[in-house]
């Protein structure tokens, strides 16, 4: 079997943990498998490197920042390979570029456009364990080193699993799998045995941090099932795969939350054709990532438009809109930095009415005010005050009986 294993930063956080990971890899190899390992940077290395760059420059060149950040994963790949040699297991490490991870040229958020894993296959055929530095590739056009965005090692792993037609893709992390809510907020949250690609996409996009969104997209597009599990135990984790394979017939899979966004309101906007287009074109041209949008009912020809965006982009968006505000005759821009988004996700929503009603009633009973609402076919998201996030997550989790000990089938009752 070809097995791809990805180890996150905590799993390779220090020398002892590197040795422990090497031991697990060695067992997988000795069981007769061909093993490809993708590693993240050790512990908080990536954050520390970013901090260092920020101490030097407000706006470091993307090319150089990527050069710097990719060093984190290169340290991990070398030490894991060494630890395997120490155990008598031949291993060879490769950078993303050497492993054939070909990307576009967008530094900091490059997309994989092709994978040419010739050297990986050769090393596997020689009987070596292959260690690949995650989160990085090389641009087809510029030949420069690129990174795939925070959490990108997950995507490296799933993409390699697809390219190698691997039998298993395991993502090792510091938790037991995907939970019905963040266990730090809901201590009796339940580990899911299976979750569909679609549900996992929504959960990851709405703040669940176990998997990078793009790794799930890759898995769905290429049919790679992903086993999310803990590197600190041998128990089964959560399988992410096609909807048909989900055995338990749960209506709701979980509650995700995200405290990384801010809300911006453009006030007193003239309610006439073309205004929203101008606002969002200006933001798009400035590369601001917009999430939820709400336009209020207009009174006397004026309205408010609110939207959420990553908190780090508010300054930029404020500059763009303050200029535009005068041009279109709006009265000003309001920024709310203290918001949270809470989302309920479940494929069963498509066929079960009343889910939104139950969610909103739970929030109301808990005294939480809803500021914005948005939905997809399998998700309901609300924006609430940042101080209410834990109360909101718990209230919703309770209202749908998602806790440990509950049987998925009973959820809709
Ligand atoms: N080291 C990178 C990060 O911290 C990539 C990863 O861990 O997947 O975002
Ligand atoms: Mg991660």
């Amino acid at each position: 079997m070809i097995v791809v294993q990805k180890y996150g930063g905590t799993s390779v956080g220090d020398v002892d943990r590197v040795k422990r990971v090497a031991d697990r890899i060695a067992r997988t190899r000795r069981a007769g498998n061909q093993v490809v390992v993708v590693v993240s940077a050790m512990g908080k290395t990536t954050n520390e490197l970013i901090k260092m760059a920020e101490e030097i420059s407000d706006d470091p060149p993307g090319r150089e920042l990527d050069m710097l950040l990719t060093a984190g994963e290169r340290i991990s790949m070398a030490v894991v390979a060494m630890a395997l040699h120490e155990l008598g297991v031949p291993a060879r490490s490769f950078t993303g570029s050497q492993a054939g991870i070909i990307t576009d040229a967008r530094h900091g958020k490059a997309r994989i456009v092709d994978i040419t894993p010739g050297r990986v296959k050769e090393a596997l055929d020689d009987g070596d364990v292959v260690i690949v530095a995650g989160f990085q590739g090389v641009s087809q056009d510029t030949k420069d080193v690129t990174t795939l965005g925070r959490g990108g090692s997950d995507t490296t792993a799933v993409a390699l699993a697809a390219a190698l037609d691997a039998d298993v893709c395991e993502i090792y992390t510091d938790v037991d799998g995907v939970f019905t809510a963040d266990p730090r907020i809901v201590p009796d949250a339940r580990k899911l045995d299976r979750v569909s690609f679609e549900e996992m996409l929504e959960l990851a996009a709405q703040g669940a941090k176990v998997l990078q969104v793009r790794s799930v997209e890759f898995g769905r597009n290429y049919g790679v099932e992903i086993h999310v599990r803990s590197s600190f135990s041998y128990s089964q984790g959560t399988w992410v795969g096609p909807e048909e394979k989900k055995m338990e017939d749960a209506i709701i899979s979980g509650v995700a939350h995200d405290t990384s966004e801010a809300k911006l309101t453009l006030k007193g906007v003239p309610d006439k054709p073309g205004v929203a287009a101008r606002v969002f074109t200006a933001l798009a041209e400035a590369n601001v990532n917009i999430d939820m949008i709400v336009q209020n009912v207009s009174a006397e020809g004026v309205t408010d438009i609110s939207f959420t965006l990553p908190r780090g982009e508010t300054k930029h968006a404020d500059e763009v809109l303050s200029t535009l505000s005068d041009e279109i005759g709006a009265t000003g821009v309001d920024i709310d930095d203290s918001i949270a988004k809470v989302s309920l996700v479940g494929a069963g929503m498509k066929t079960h009415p009343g889910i939104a009603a139950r969610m909103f009633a739970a929030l109301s009973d808990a005294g939480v005010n809803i500021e914005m609402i948005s939905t997809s076919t399998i998700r309901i998201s609300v924006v609430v005050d940042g101080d209410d996030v834990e109360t909101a997550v718990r209230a919703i989790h309770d209202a749908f009986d998602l806790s440990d000990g509950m049987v998925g089938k009973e959820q809709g009752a």
Side-chain angles (χ1 to χ4, degrees):
M1 287 215 302
I2 301 182
V3 177
V4 173
Q5 298 183 331
K6 179 256 170 177
Y7 291 93
T10 328
S11 303
V12 292
D14 57 34
V15 166
D16 283 336
R17 287 187 175 172
V18 165
K19 289 181 182 170
R20 216 153 55 192
V21 160
D23 185 58
R24 189 186 276 263
I25 299 168
R27 288 173 197 233
T28 313
R29 176 71 190 95
R30 288 188 180 124
N33 300 298
Q34 293 189 302
V35 189
V36 176
V37 174
V38 174
V39 284
S40 285
M42 293 172 74
K44 301 242 170 294
T45 305
T46 308
N47 288 344
E48 284 157 15
L49 294 174
I50 290 174
K51 208 167 134 249
M52 179 158 77
E54 284 171 351
E55 282 170 17
I56 296 171
S57 162
D58 277 346
D59 189 18
R63 180 184 188 279
E64 304 312 327
L65 188 59
D66 276 355
M67 274 300 199
L68 178 69
L69 297 189
T70 50
E73 270 69 13
R74 292 178 63 153
I75 294 172
S76 299
M77 72 177 189
V79 294
V80 170
M82 281 177 201
L84 281 163
H85 278 271
E86 203 51 32
L87 296 174
V89 178
R92 221 183 294 176
S93 67
F94 294 101
T95 65
S97 167
Q98 290 174 326
I101 312 286
I102 314 293
T103 71
D104 61 22
R106 288 187 294 174
H107 288 292
K109 49 179 166 191
R111 285 192 160 263
I112 296 176
V113 294
D114 194 14
I115 301 182
T116 51
R119 297 191 66 186
V120 172
K121 283 186 184 152
E122 268 171 39
L124 285 177
D125 289 342
D126 290 346
D128 285 4
V129 169
V130 172
I131 319 288
V132 178
F135 168 64
Q136 56 184 275
V138 63
S139 157
Q140 201 164 35
D141 303 328
T142 62
K143 310 284 182 253
D144 283 328
V145 168
T146 54
T147 61
L148 309 178
R150 296 307 303 266
S153 299
D154 296 338
T155 302
T156 305
V158 179
L160 269 173
L164 296 167
D165 200 13
D167 300 279
V168 184
C169 180
E170 296 177 322
I171 304 283
Y172 283 98
T173 175
D174 52 357
V175 291
D176 288 332
V178 182
F179 282 77
T180 50
D182 184 338
R184 280 166 303 188
I185 294 183
V186 185
D188 58 353
R190 186 168 55 92
K191 191 197 78 194
L192 298 165
D193 292 329
R194 282 203 86 93
V195 64
S196 70
F197 287 126
E198 283 71 22
E199 289 167 314
M200 194 62 232
L201 271 176
E202 293 278 11
L203 288 168
Q206 302 306 324
K209 291 184 189 68
V210 249
L211 285 176
Q212 198 198 30
V213 176
R214 293 211 339 241
S215 70
V216 187
E217 281 171 354
F218 236 102
R220 183 192 55 186
N221 295 349
Y222 295 92
V224 179
E225 286 188 46
I226 305 167
H227 187 187
V228 181
R229 56 192 306 197
S230 169
S231 65
F232 301 102
S233 82
Y234 278 88
S235 49
Q236 285 280 312
T238 301
W239 282 90
V240 185
E243 176 72 33
E244 313 84 80
K245 284 215 186 163
K246 245 172 66 181
M247 294 300 286
E248 57 185 327
D249 190 17
I251 295 163
I252 299 299
S253 317
V255 184
H257 70 280
D258 183 354
T259 51
S260 70
E261 294 195 337
K263 184 173 85 173
L264 214 143
T265 303
L266 190 59
K267 291 182 304 183
V269 185
D271 190 9
K272 57 183 188 204
V275 172
R278 277 186 73 182
V279 170
F280 290 102
T281 304
L283 291 165
E285 281 168 359
N287 251 320
V288 176
N289 273 304
I290 306 297
D291 183 17
M292 271 191 217
I293 304 174
V294 168
Q295 176 171 331
N296 288 345
V297 178
S298 66
E300 289 163 20
V302 263
T303 181
D304 291 345
I305 299 178
S306 296
F307 59 89
T308 63
L309 72 174
R311 200 173 294 131
E313 295 180 18
T314 38
K315 213 177 122 219
H316 196 38
D318 187 22
E319 284 160 13
V320 173
L321 288 188
S322 297
T323 320
L324 191 76
S325 169
D326 292 341
E327 287 173 28
I328 59 176
T331 52
V333 182
D334 224 29
I335 297 172
D336 184 352
D337 258 345
S338 163
I339 61 156
K341 195 171 55 175
V342 179
S343 306
L344 182 68
V345 173
M349 269 181 213
K350 280 188 275 201
T351 44
H352 289 78
I355 304 287
R358 216 206 291 189
M359 173 173 171
F360 300 158
L363 290 169
S364 146
D365 290 345
V368 175
N369 185 43
I370 301 173
E371 299 180 20
M372 296 167 104
I373 299 170
S374 85
T375 62
S376 80
T377 49
I378 61 166
R379 169 182 58 82
I380 304 164
S381 301
V382 294
V383 167
V384 299
D385 190 294
D387 291 339
D388 287 338
V389 62
E390 299 198 357
T391 312
V393 170
R394 282 189 207 110
I396 298 168
H397 197 269
D398 268 5
F400 289 91
D401 293 335
L402 298 177
S403 294
D404 224 351
M406 293 289 170
V407 179
K409 286 195 173 88
E410 289 171 3
Q411 287 173 15

